mmCIF file of all heavy atoms in Angstrom:
data_model
loop_
_atom_site.group_PDB
_atom_site.id
_atom_site.type_symbol
_atom_site.label_atom_id
_atom_site.label_comp_id
_atom_site.label_asym_id
_atom_site.label_seq_id
_atom_site.Cartn_x
_atom_site.Cartn_y
_atom_site.Cartn_z
ATOM 1 N N SER B 175 -4.092 20.774 22.222
ATOM 2 C CA SER B 175 -4.747 19.543 21.766
ATOM 3 C C SER B 175 -4.000 18.946 20.570
ATOM 4 O O SER B 175 -3.919 17.731 20.422
ATOM 5 C CB SER B 175 -6.215 19.785 21.410
ATOM 6 O OG SER B 175 -6.293 20.605 20.292
ATOM 7 N N ALA B 176 -3.402 19.819 19.731
ATOM 8 C CA ALA B 176 -2.644 19.309 18.578
ATOM 9 C C ALA B 176 -1.454 18.499 19.050
ATOM 10 O O ALA B 176 -1.197 17.397 18.555
ATOM 11 C CB ALA B 176 -2.169 20.466 17.711
ATOM 12 N N ALA B 177 -0.746 19.047 20.036
ATOM 13 C CA ALA B 177 0.434 18.334 20.556
ATOM 14 C C ALA B 177 0.018 16.992 21.141
ATOM 15 O O ALA B 177 0.680 15.969 20.927
ATOM 16 C CB ALA B 177 1.123 19.189 21.601
ATOM 17 N N LEU B 178 -1.119 17.003 21.868
ATOM 18 C CA LEU B 178 -1.579 15.751 22.486
ATOM 19 C C LEU B 178 -2.049 14.758 21.432
ATOM 20 O O LEU B 178 -1.716 13.572 21.476
ATOM 21 C CB LEU B 178 -2.724 16.039 23.468
ATOM 22 C CG LEU B 178 -2.299 16.658 24.806
ATOM 23 C CD1 LEU B 178 -3.522 17.049 25.610
ATOM 24 C CD2 LEU B 178 -1.448 15.670 25.602
ATOM 25 N N GLU B 179 -2.832 15.251 20.484
ATOM 26 C CA GLU B 179 -3.398 14.352 19.464
ATOM 27 C C GLU B 179 -2.308 13.747 18.586
ATOM 28 O O GLU B 179 -2.324 12.558 18.282
ATOM 29 C CB GLU B 179 -4.396 15.107 18.576
ATOM 30 C CG GLU B 179 -5.769 15.242 19.189
ATOM 31 C CD GLU B 179 -6.839 15.589 18.179
ATOM 32 O OE1 GLU B 179 -6.840 15.008 17.081
ATOM 33 O OE2 GLU B 179 -7.679 16.449 18.491
ATOM 34 N N ILE B 180 -1.352 14.605 18.166
ATOM 35 C CA ILE B 180 -0.313 14.121 17.251
ATOM 36 C C ILE B 180 0.739 13.310 18.006
ATOM 37 O O ILE B 180 1.069 12.185 17.630
ATOM 38 C CB ILE B 180 0.332 15.310 16.492
ATOM 39 C CG1 ILE B 180 -0.725 15.987 15.620
ATOM 40 C CG2 ILE B 180 1.496 14.850 15.643
ATOM 41 C CD1 ILE B 180 -0.372 17.367 15.183
ATOM 42 N N GLY B 181 1.236 13.894 19.097
ATOM 43 C CA GLY B 181 2.245 13.190 19.901
ATOM 44 C C GLY B 181 1.693 11.886 20.446
ATOM 45 O O GLY B 181 2.357 10.838 20.419
ATOM 46 N N GLY B 182 0.445 11.951 20.944
ATOM 47 C CA GLY B 182 -0.191 10.751 21.499
ATOM 48 C C GLY B 182 -0.349 9.676 20.424
ATOM 49 O O GLY B 182 -0.122 8.489 20.681
ATOM 50 N N ALA B 183 -0.732 10.107 19.209
ATOM 51 C CA ALA B 183 -0.923 9.151 18.116
ATOM 52 C C ALA B 183 0.393 8.464 17.762
ATOM 53 O O ALA B 183 0.432 7.241 17.565
ATOM 54 C CB ALA B 183 -1.484 9.870 16.893
ATOM 55 N N LEU B 184 1.462 9.255 17.698
ATOM 56 C CA LEU B 184 2.762 8.672 17.342
ATOM 57 C C LEU B 184 3.226 7.700 18.430
ATOM 58 O O LEU B 184 3.737 6.609 18.136
ATOM 59 C CB LEU B 184 3.805 9.770 17.123
ATOM 60 C CG LEU B 184 3.537 10.706 15.937
ATOM 61 C CD1 LEU B 184 4.594 11.786 15.849
ATOM 62 C CD2 LEU B 184 3.489 9.919 14.621
ATOM 63 N N LEU B 185 3.011 8.105 19.685
ATOM 64 C CA LEU B 185 3.432 7.252 20.801
ATOM 65 C C LEU B 185 2.606 5.960 20.827
ATOM 66 O O LEU B 185 3.148 4.852 20.938
ATOM 67 C CB LEU B 185 3.277 8.023 22.114
ATOM 68 C CG LEU B 185 3.782 7.312 23.361
ATOM 69 C CD1 LEU B 185 5.306 7.178 23.302
ATOM 70 C CD2 LEU B 185 3.384 8.082 24.621
ATOM 71 N N LEU B 186 1.280 6.128 20.702
ATOM 72 C CA LEU B 186 0.399 4.955 20.718
ATOM 73 C C LEU B 186 0.720 4.023 19.541
ATOM 74 O O LEU B 186 0.800 2.794 19.713
ATOM 75 C CB LEU B 186 -1.069 5.416 20.644
ATOM 76 C CG LEU B 186 -2.141 4.335 20.602
ATOM 77 C CD1 LEU B 186 -2.094 3.464 21.856
ATOM 78 C CD2 LEU B 186 -3.533 4.956 20.485
ATOM 79 N N GLY B 187 0.919 4.620 18.357
ATOM 80 C CA GLY B 187 1.260 3.823 17.171
ATOM 81 C C GLY B 187 2.565 3.073 17.367
ATOM 82 O O GLY B 187 2.690 1.902 16.990
ATOM 83 N N ALA B 188 3.543 3.750 17.992
ATOM 84 C CA ALA B 188 4.849 3.119 18.214
ATOM 85 C C ALA B 188 4.721 1.944 19.189
ATOM 86 O O ALA B 188 5.268 0.858 18.942
ATOM 87 C CB ALA B 188 5.830 4.153 18.749
ATOM 88 N N VAL B 189 3.969 2.152 20.262
ATOM 89 C CA VAL B 189 3.815 1.085 21.266
ATOM 90 C C VAL B 189 3.053 -0.099 20.660
ATOM 91 O O VAL B 189 3.458 -1.257 20.783
ATOM 92 C CB VAL B 189 3.082 1.627 22.526
ATOM 93 C CG1 VAL B 189 2.748 0.494 23.494
ATOM 94 C CG2 VAL B 189 3.937 2.677 23.217
ATOM 95 N N MET B 190 1.946 0.230 19.959
ATOM 96 C CA MET B 190 1.145 -0.834 19.344
ATOM 97 C C MET B 190 1.947 -1.551 18.243
ATOM 98 O O MET B 190 1.816 -2.753 18.042
ATOM 99 C CB MET B 190 -0.137 -0.260 18.741
ATOM 100 C CG MET B 190 -1.166 0.198 19.750
ATOM 101 S SD MET B 190 -1.872 -1.149 20.702
ATOM 102 C CE MET B 190 -2.728 -2.063 19.461
ATOM 103 N N GLY B 191 2.763 -0.779 17.528
ATOM 104 C CA GLY B 191 3.604 -1.357 16.464
ATOM 105 C C GLY B 191 4.607 -2.336 17.049
ATOM 106 O O GLY B 191 4.829 -3.419 16.496
ATOM 107 N N TRP B 192 5.178 -1.946 18.179
ATOM 108 C CA TRP B 192 6.133 -2.841 18.845
ATOM 109 C C TRP B 192 5.415 -4.127 19.284
ATOM 110 O O TRP B 192 5.942 -5.228 19.115
ATOM 111 C CB TRP B 192 6.756 -2.115 20.057
ATOM 112 C CG TRP B 192 7.795 -2.937 20.735
ATOM 113 C CD1 TRP B 192 9.117 -3.019 20.405
ATOM 114 C CD2 TRP B 192 7.598 -3.844 21.839
ATOM 115 N NE1 TRP B 192 9.755 -3.912 21.237
ATOM 116 C CE2 TRP B 192 8.848 -4.436 22.124
ATOM 117 C CE3 TRP B 192 6.489 -4.205 22.604
ATOM 118 C CZ2 TRP B 192 9.022 -5.369 23.144
ATOM 119 C CZ3 TRP B 192 6.658 -5.131 23.623
ATOM 120 C CH2 TRP B 192 7.906 -5.704 23.884
ATOM 121 N N CYS B 193 4.214 -3.950 19.852
ATOM 122 C CA CYS B 193 3.440 -5.129 20.320
ATOM 123 C C CYS B 193 3.112 -6.041 19.124
ATOM 124 O O CYS B 193 3.198 -7.268 19.229
ATOM 125 C CB CYS B 193 2.138 -4.698 20.987
ATOM 126 S SG CYS B 193 2.384 -3.834 22.527
ATOM 127 N N LEU B 194 2.713 -5.428 18.008
ATOM 128 C CA LEU B 194 2.356 -6.223 16.824
ATOM 129 C C LEU B 194 3.572 -6.988 16.296
ATOM 130 O O LEU B 194 3.476 -8.171 15.948
ATOM 131 C CB LEU B 194 1.771 -5.313 15.744
ATOM 132 C CG LEU B 194 1.375 -5.977 14.420
ATOM 133 C CD1 LEU B 194 0.336 -7.067 14.648
ATOM 134 C CD2 LEU B 194 0.822 -4.958 13.433
ATOM 135 N N ALA B 195 4.716 -6.309 16.254
ATOM 136 C CA ALA B 195 5.940 -6.976 15.788
ATOM 137 C C ALA B 195 6.315 -8.104 16.752
ATOM 138 O O ALA B 195 6.744 -9.186 16.327
ATOM 139 C CB ALA B 195 7.073 -5.973 15.677
ATOM 140 N N PHE B 196 6.134 -7.868 18.046
ATOM 141 C CA PHE B 196 6.433 -8.883 19.062
ATOM 142 C C PHE B 196 5.569 -10.127 18.808
ATOM 143 O O PHE B 196 6.058 -11.253 18.808
ATOM 144 C CB PHE B 196 6.139 -8.291 20.454
ATOM 145 C CG PHE B 196 6.373 -9.241 21.591
ATOM 146 C CD1 PHE B 196 7.658 -9.425 22.098
ATOM 147 C CD2 PHE B 196 5.324 -9.955 22.158
ATOM 148 C CE1 PHE B 196 7.885 -10.306 23.150
ATOM 149 C CE2 PHE B 196 5.540 -10.838 23.204
ATOM 150 C CZ PHE B 196 6.817 -11.016 23.708
ATOM 151 N N LEU B 197 4.262 -9.876 18.568
ATOM 152 C CA LEU B 197 3.351 -10.998 18.266
ATOM 153 C C LEU B 197 3.750 -11.672 16.949
ATOM 154 O O LEU B 197 3.730 -12.891 16.826
ATOM 155 C CB LEU B 197 1.918 -10.478 18.133
ATOM 156 C CG LEU B 197 1.049 -10.473 19.377
ATOM 157 C CD1 LEU B 197 -0.316 -9.905 19.025
ATOM 158 C CD2 LEU B 197 0.883 -11.896 19.915
ATOM 159 N N GLY B 198 4.101 -10.833 15.964
ATOM 160 C CA GLY B 198 4.485 -11.340 14.646
ATOM 161 C C GLY B 198 5.684 -12.275 14.726
ATOM 162 O O GLY B 198 5.796 -13.215 13.945
ATOM 163 N N HIS B 199 6.564 -12.013 15.679
ATOM 164 C CA HIS B 199 7.735 -12.876 15.856
ATOM 165 C C HIS B 199 7.353 -14.224 16.475
ATOM 166 O O HIS B 199 8.101 -15.181 16.395
ATOM 167 C CB HIS B 199 8.770 -12.197 16.762
ATOM 168 C CG HIS B 199 9.581 -11.155 16.057
ATOM 169 N ND1 HIS B 199 10.343 -11.430 14.954
ATOM 170 C CD2 HIS B 199 9.739 -9.822 16.287
ATOM 171 C CE1 HIS B 199 10.947 -10.317 14.556
ATOM 172 N NE2 HIS B 199 10.580 -9.331 15.329
ATOM 173 N N ARG B 200 6.197 -14.258 17.146
ATOM 174 C CA ARG B 200 5.839 -15.474 17.867
ATOM 175 C C ARG B 200 4.762 -16.313 17.211
ATOM 176 O O ARG B 200 4.703 -17.520 17.405
ATOM 177 C CB ARG B 200 5.428 -15.111 19.299
ATOM 178 C CG ARG B 200 6.647 -15.032 20.187
ATOM 179 C CD ARG B 200 6.578 -13.992 21.262
ATOM 180 N NE ARG B 200 7.915 -13.808 21.847
ATOM 181 C CZ ARG B 200 8.845 -13.017 21.320
ATOM 182 N NH1 ARG B 200 8.587 -12.321 20.223
ATOM 183 N NH2 ARG B 200 10.039 -12.917 21.879
ATOM 184 N N VAL B 201 3.886 -15.671 16.455
ATOM 185 C CA VAL B 201 2.810 -16.430 15.802
ATOM 186 C C VAL B 201 3.408 -17.216 14.639
ATOM 187 O O VAL B 201 4.058 -16.638 13.761
ATOM 188 C CB VAL B 201 1.684 -15.484 15.319
ATOM 189 C CG1 VAL B 201 0.669 -16.231 14.474
ATOM 190 C CG2 VAL B 201 0.999 -14.847 16.505
ATOM 191 N N ARG B 202 3.232 -18.506 14.631
ATOM 192 C CA ARG B 202 3.829 -19.349 13.592
ATOM 193 C C ARG B 202 2.833 -19.723 12.487
ATOM 194 O O ARG B 202 3.194 -19.864 11.339
ATOM 195 C CB ARG B 202 4.365 -20.644 14.225
ATOM 196 C CG ARG B 202 5.543 -20.418 15.145
ATOM 197 C CD ARG B 202 6.820 -20.242 14.324
ATOM 198 N NE ARG B 202 7.980 -20.073 15.196
ATOM 199 C CZ ARG B 202 8.466 -18.909 15.560
ATOM 200 N NH1 ARG B 202 7.886 -17.795 15.159
ATOM 201 N NH2 ARG B 202 9.538 -18.830 16.333
ATOM 202 N N ASN B 203 1.559 -19.895 12.881
ATOM 203 C CA ASN B 203 0.557 -20.351 11.917
ATOM 204 C C ASN B 203 0.142 -19.194 10.991
ATOM 205 O O ASN B 203 -0.390 -18.183 11.461
ATOM 206 C CB ASN B 203 -0.660 -20.883 12.683
ATOM 207 C CG ASN B 203 -1.625 -21.602 11.784
ATOM 208 O OD1 ASN B 203 -1.686 -21.327 10.582
ATOM 209 N ND2 ASN B 203 -2.372 -22.529 12.342
ATOM 210 N N PRO B 204 0.367 -19.329 9.681
ATOM 211 C CA PRO B 204 0.036 -18.233 8.753
ATOM 212 C C PRO B 204 -1.440 -17.824 8.779
ATOM 213 O O PRO B 204 -1.764 -16.693 8.455
ATOM 214 C CB PRO B 204 0.401 -18.796 7.379
ATOM 215 C CG PRO B 204 1.255 -19.979 7.632
ATOM 216 C CD PRO B 204 0.927 -20.494 8.990
ATOM 217 N N HIS B 205 -2.326 -18.755 9.200
ATOM 218 C CA HIS B 205 -3.755 -18.425 9.226
ATOM 219 C C HIS B 205 -4.077 -17.344 10.261
ATOM 220 O O HIS B 205 -5.139 -16.734 10.222
ATOM 221 C CB HIS B 205 -4.579 -19.679 9.527
ATOM 222 C CG HIS B 205 -4.465 -20.708 8.459
ATOM 223 N ND1 HIS B 205 -3.974 -21.959 8.681
ATOM 224 C CD2 HIS B 205 -4.730 -20.648 7.133
ATOM 225 C CE1 HIS B 205 -3.948 -22.634 7.551
ATOM 226 N NE2 HIS B 205 -4.407 -21.863 6.593
ATOM 227 N N PHE B 206 -3.184 -17.141 11.216
ATOM 228 C CA PHE B 206 -3.447 -16.158 12.267
ATOM 229 C C PHE B 206 -2.908 -14.768 11.931
ATOM 230 O O PHE B 206 -3.128 -13.835 12.684
ATOM 231 C CB PHE B 206 -2.848 -16.624 13.604
ATOM 232 C CG PHE B 206 -3.587 -17.784 14.214
ATOM 233 C CD1 PHE B 206 -2.939 -18.978 14.470
ATOM 234 C CD2 PHE B 206 -4.930 -17.671 14.502
ATOM 235 C CE1 PHE B 206 -3.625 -20.054 15.017
ATOM 236 C CE2 PHE B 206 -5.630 -18.740 15.047
ATOM 237 C CZ PHE B 206 -4.969 -19.939 15.305
ATOM 238 N N PHE B 207 -2.190 -14.641 10.820
ATOM 239 C CA PHE B 207 -1.578 -13.347 10.510
ATOM 240 C C PHE B 207 -2.635 -12.253 10.314
ATOM 241 O O PHE B 207 -2.519 -11.163 10.859
ATOM 242 C CB PHE B 207 -0.689 -13.436 9.254
ATOM 243 C CG PHE B 207 0.554 -14.274 9.427
ATOM 244 C CD1 PHE B 207 1.269 -14.728 8.333
ATOM 245 C CD2 PHE B 207 0.999 -14.619 10.690
ATOM 246 C CE1 PHE B 207 2.408 -15.498 8.491
ATOM 247 C CE2 PHE B 207 2.142 -15.400 10.869
ATOM 248 C CZ PHE B 207 2.839 -15.842 9.756
ATOM 249 N N LEU B 208 -3.673 -12.551 9.514
ATOM 250 C CA LEU B 208 -4.695 -11.534 9.242
ATOM 251 C C LEU B 208 -5.455 -11.137 10.515
ATOM 252 O O LEU B 208 -5.558 -9.940 10.827
ATOM 253 C CB LEU B 208 -5.655 -12.001 8.141
ATOM 254 C CG LEU B 208 -6.737 -10.997 7.752
ATOM 255 C CD1 LEU B 208 -6.142 -9.710 7.202
ATOM 256 C CD2 LEU B 208 -7.684 -11.589 6.706
ATOM 257 N N PRO B 209 -5.985 -12.136 11.295
ATOM 258 C CA PRO B 209 -6.664 -11.745 12.540
ATOM 259 C C PRO B 209 -5.754 -10.949 13.474
ATOM 260 O O PRO B 209 -6.198 -9.997 14.112
ATOM 261 C CB PRO B 209 -7.041 -13.082 13.189
ATOM 262 C CG PRO B 209 -6.980 -14.081 12.116
ATOM 263 C CD PRO B 209 -6.049 -13.575 11.062
ATOM 264 N N MET B 210 -4.476 -11.321 13.510
ATOM 265 C CA MET B 210 -3.524 -10.631 14.390
ATOM 266 C C MET B 210 -3.384 -9.154 13.997
ATOM 267 O O MET B 210 -3.486 -8.266 14.846
ATOM 268 C CB MET B 210 -2.163 -11.345 14.276
ATOM 269 C CG MET B 210 -1.021 -10.701 14.998
ATOM 270 S SD MET B 210 0.496 -11.635 14.694
ATOM 271 C CE MET B 210 0.947 -11.098 13.039
ATOM 272 N N VAL B 211 -3.219 -8.912 12.702
ATOM 273 C CA VAL B 211 -3.018 -7.535 12.241
ATOM 274 C C VAL B 211 -4.315 -6.724 12.380
ATOM 275 O O VAL B 211 -4.298 -5.589 12.862
ATOM 276 C CB VAL B 211 -2.518 -7.515 10.769
ATOM 277 C CG1 VAL B 211 -2.378 -6.093 10.275
ATOM 278 C CG2 VAL B 211 -1.187 -8.234 10.651
ATOM 279 N N LEU B 212 -5.441 -7.335 11.984
ATOM 280 C CA LEU B 212 -6.721 -6.609 12.088
ATOM 281 C C LEU B 212 -7.022 -6.243 13.535
ATOM 282 O O LEU B 212 -7.488 -5.139 13.825
ATOM 283 C CB LEU B 212 -7.863 -7.453 11.516
ATOM 284 C CG LEU B 212 -7.940 -7.542 9.994
ATOM 285 C CD1 LEU B 212 -9.149 -8.366 9.565
ATOM 286 C CD2 LEU B 212 -8.037 -6.152 9.360
ATOM 287 N N SER B 213 -6.741 -7.175 14.451
ATOM 288 C CA SER B 213 -6.986 -6.894 15.876
ATOM 289 C C SER B 213 -6.152 -5.706 16.324
ATOM 290 O O SER B 213 -6.646 -4.826 17.035
ATOM 291 C CB SER B 213 -6.611 -8.089 16.756
ATOM 292 O OG SER B 213 -7.161 -9.247 16.252
ATOM 293 N N ALA B 214 -4.887 -5.688 15.903
ATOM 294 C CA ALA B 214 -3.997 -4.591 16.315
ATOM 295 C C ALA B 214 -4.510 -3.258 15.769
ATOM 296 O O ALA B 214 -4.522 -2.251 16.487
ATOM 297 C CB ALA B 214 -2.583 -4.861 15.825
ATOM 298 N N ILE B 215 -4.960 -3.252 14.506
ATOM 299 C CA ILE B 215 -5.435 -1.997 13.902
ATOM 300 C C ILE B 215 -6.695 -1.503 14.628
ATOM 301 O O ILE B 215 -6.798 -0.339 15.026
ATOM 302 C CB ILE B 215 -5.719 -2.172 12.389
ATOM 303 C CG1 ILE B 215 -4.430 -2.505 11.638
ATOM 304 C CG2 ILE B 215 -6.347 -0.910 11.802
ATOM 305 C CD1 ILE B 215 -4.627 -2.888 10.182
ATOM 306 N N LEU B 216 -7.652 -2.433 14.823
ATOM 307 C CA LEU B 216 -8.910 -2.025 15.451
ATOM 308 C C LEU B 216 -8.687 -1.599 16.898
ATOM 309 O O LEU B 216 -9.270 -0.618 17.364
ATOM 310 C CB LEU B 216 -9.934 -3.167 15.371
ATOM 311 C CG LEU B 216 -10.386 -3.512 13.940
ATOM 312 C CD1 LEU B 216 -11.349 -4.688 13.943
ATOM 313 C CD2 LEU B 216 -11.043 -2.308 13.262
ATOM 314 N N LEU B 217 -7.823 -2.333 17.610
ATOM 315 C CA LEU B 217 -7.526 -1.964 18.999
ATOM 316 C C LEU B 217 -6.870 -0.585 19.052
ATOM 317 O O LEU B 217 -7.214 0.245 19.906
ATOM 318 C CB LEU B 217 -6.598 -3.017 19.627
ATOM 319 C CG LEU B 217 -6.247 -2.819 21.100
ATOM 320 C CD1 LEU B 217 -7.496 -2.848 21.971
ATOM 321 C CD2 LEU B 217 -5.265 -3.887 21.581
ATOM 322 N N SER B 218 -5.969 -0.331 18.119
ATOM 323 C CA SER B 218 -5.292 0.976 18.106
ATOM 324 C C SER B 218 -6.304 2.096 17.858
ATOM 325 O O SER B 218 -6.189 3.178 18.433
ATOM 326 C CB SER B 218 -4.191 1.005 17.046
ATOM 327 O OG SER B 218 -4.749 1.123 15.760
ATOM 328 N N GLN B 219 -7.308 1.823 17.003
ATOM 329 C CA GLN B 219 -8.324 2.837 16.733
ATOM 330 C C GLN B 219 -9.171 3.119 17.975
ATOM 331 O O GLN B 219 -9.502 4.262 18.266
ATOM 332 C CB GLN B 219 -9.225 2.387 15.569
ATOM 333 C CG GLN B 219 -8.493 2.278 14.248
ATOM 334 C CD GLN B 219 -7.823 3.577 13.825
ATOM 335 O OE1 GLN B 219 -8.471 4.531 13.434
ATOM 336 N NE2 GLN B 219 -6.515 3.638 13.932
ATOM 337 N N GLY B 220 -9.517 2.049 18.683
ATOM 338 C CA GLY B 220 -10.301 2.207 19.916
ATOM 339 C C GLY B 220 -9.520 2.993 20.959
ATOM 340 O O GLY B 220 -10.043 3.932 21.576
ATOM 341 N N LEU B 221 -8.238 2.627 21.119
ATOM 342 C CA LEU B 221 -7.408 3.318 22.113
ATOM 343 C C LEU B 221 -7.184 4.776 21.713
ATOM 344 O O LEU B 221 -7.144 5.658 22.566
ATOM 345 C CB LEU B 221 -6.056 2.602 22.258
ATOM 346 C CG LEU B 221 -6.114 1.212 22.909
ATOM 347 C CD1 LEU B 221 -4.741 0.550 22.892
ATOM 348 C CD2 LEU B 221 -6.633 1.300 24.342
#
Side-chain angles (χ1 to χ4, degrees):
Chain B
S175 67
L178 284 173
E179 278 198 43
I180 296 162
L184 295 178
L185 185 67
L186 178 61
V189 172
M190 289 293 295
W192 183 86
C193 292
L194 179 59
F196 179 82
L197 268 179
H199 282 301
R200 274 146 193 84
V201 172
R202 293 281 182 265
N203 191 334
H205 296 119
F206 289 121
F207 292 164
L208 182 61
M210 174 182 78
V211 177
L212 284 182
S213 311
I215 296 172
L216 294 178
L217 183 61
S218 75
Q219 295 303 288
L221 291 175

